[in-house]
Amino acid sequence: MSVSIDALILRIALANHGACSRTELIQAGVTASALSRRIHQGMLTRFDSNSFIVAGADNGLAALAASLRRFPDGVASDFSAAQLFELPVQQ
């Protein structure tokens, strides 16, 4: 049974708080033209040269996740870390 490209993109992005990279999408079998169509249709928003945020994701959390994926030695602390681990926070 084949998985649709949209479902594949969503599965990857949702596992990463709404963020995904061009590299991992291409490695999963998403073609460059299919990726371009999803960007044009608004399913994906470019975060940086290699990262995207899926439509409907919490933009702040997805941007943080994309940043941490781009800089693997980076860290999240305080409010950002609480968001990543879905912990309750007082604002």
Side-chain angles (χ1 to χ4, degrees), residues 29-65:
V30 179
T31 64
S33 62
L35 187 54
S36 293
R37 275 194 303 280
R38 274 42 178 211
I39 294 167
H40 180 72
Q41 294 168 346
M43 178 184 181
L44 294 171
T45 300
R46 188 177 300 279
F47 175 74
D48 63 25
S49 62
N50 191 47
S51 301
F52 303 95
I53 296 172
V54 72
D58 175 325
N59 286 338
L61 188 56
L64 175 61

Side-chain angles (χ1 to χ4, degrees), residues 2-3 6 11 13-14 18 20 30 39 42 48 52 55 59 66 73-74 78 81 83 86 89:
S2 69
V3 176
D6 290 347
R11 186 175 72 215
L14 294 177
C20 54
V30 179
I39 294 167
D48 63 25
F52 303 95
N59 286 338
D73 293 334
D78 302 325
Q83 280 191 302
E86 300 176 356
V89 294

Side-chain angles (χ1 to χ4, degrees), residues 6-21 24-25 43-44 52-55 57 62 65 69:
D6 290 347
L8 179 62
I9 292 170
L10 288 173
R11 186 175 72 215
I12 292 169
L14 294 177
N16 297 295
H17 301 286
C20 54
S21 73
E24 67 189 333
L25 293 174
M43 178 184 181
L44 294 171
F52 303 95
I53 296 172
V54 72
R69 293 173 65 69

